[in-house]
Amino acid sequence: MITMEDIVREGHPVLRQVASEVSLPPSNEDKEIVNSLLQYVKNSQNPEYADKYGLRPGIGLAAPQINVPKRMLAVHVKDPSGTLYSYALINPKIVSHSVEKAYLTSGEGCLSVDRQVPGFVPRYARVTVKGYNENGEEVKLRLKGLASIVFQHEIDHLNGVMFYDHIDHDNPFTPIENALPIER
Ligand code: UDB
Ligand code: ZN
C-alpha cells in the first residue's frame, strides 16, 4: 500500500525526468504499480483510511511520484454532475484538445509539493485521452471540467512538468484569455 512516505517531494530528480513507455501487455509488476496508484487515491478519499494511515486526500497520482519513472497514472474523481472518473492508465496520451482553455479558480496543488503556489494554471478545457488499462486494452476518454484538468496535471508528471511551470509568476492571477473558470 502506498502512503505519504512513498510519495517523493519537490526537488527529487525523478519529478523532472521524462518517464519511459510501458511495454504491452503490461507485466504483472507494472499492473501492480498502476493498481497501487489507483488504490492510493481511493484510500486517501476514504476518511477512515486517510486518518488511519495519514494520507493526504488526492484525486490523481502518477508513477513518477512514487519514484517509478514509467508512463502510468491513476485518477479517481467525481465531476459536479456526479459522474465518477476512476481510471488506472498505461501510456496515456492527449490525442486531441480544445482551443478553449480552463483553470481552477483556486489554483492547483500537488501531492509532491508541500507548499502553496498561488496562481492560475492554464489547461485545455477539453481533452481526448487514449491509453491502455491493466489488461492492455485500449481506453479512449473524452474529458471536460475537473476530470480534464486532473488528467492534464498527471500526464504532465510523466513529462517532468510541474503545475507551477505553467503559472505566470509575475501576474499569477491575471485572467487567462479564452479560458473557462472552474470553481472547486
Ligand atoms: C490532488 N487535490 O490530489 F477542484 F473536490 C489535489 C491536492 C494536491 C490538493 C491533494 C485536489 O485538487 N482536490 C480537489 C480539487 C477540486 C475539487 C475537489 C478536490 N492533486 C493530485 C496530484 O498532485 N497529482 O499529481 C493535485 C490536483 C491539482 C489539479 C488536478 C490535480
Ligand atoms: Zn501532482
Side-chain angles (χ1 to χ4, degrees), residues 75-126:
V75 169
H76 188 79
V77 68
K78 243 184 209 165
D79 79 2
S81 73
T83 309
L84 178 66
Y85 291 85
S86 186
Y87 292 96
L89 283 192
I90 296 170
N91 298 338
K93 203 180 154 186
I94 295 172
V95 294
S96 68
H97 62 77
S98 58
V99 171
E100 190 182 22
K101 298 203 167 166
Y103 61 95
L104 293 174
T105 54
S106 52
E108 295 189 13
C110 180
L111 291 167
S112 294
V113 179
D114 292 328
R115 62 186 174 115
Q116 304 276 94
V117 187
F120 296 148
V121 179
R123 301 290 187 186
Y124 300 121
R126 294 170 297 282

Side-chain angles (χ1 to χ4, degrees), residues 15 60-62 65 108-113 153-154 157 161-163:
L15 294 174
L61 187 64
Q65 294 180 275
E108 295 189 13
C110 180
L111 291 167
S112 294
V113 179
H153 177 112
E154 305 312 334
H157 279 305
V161 175
M162 302 294 286
F163 73 93

Side-chain angles (χ1 to χ4, degrees), residues 42-61:
K42 288 183 180 175
N43 288 345
S44 75
Q45 290 180 35
N46 176 331
E48 244 157 65
Y49 271 91
D51 189 57
K52 187 167 177 196
Y53 299 105
L55 310 178
R56 185 175 174 198
I59 54 178
L61 187 64

Side-chain angles (χ1 to χ4, degrees), residues 60-74:
L61 187 64
Q65 294 180 275
I66 57 162
N67 200 15
V68 174
K70 293 185 177 182
R71 305 190 76 83
M72 296 187 276
L73 61 78

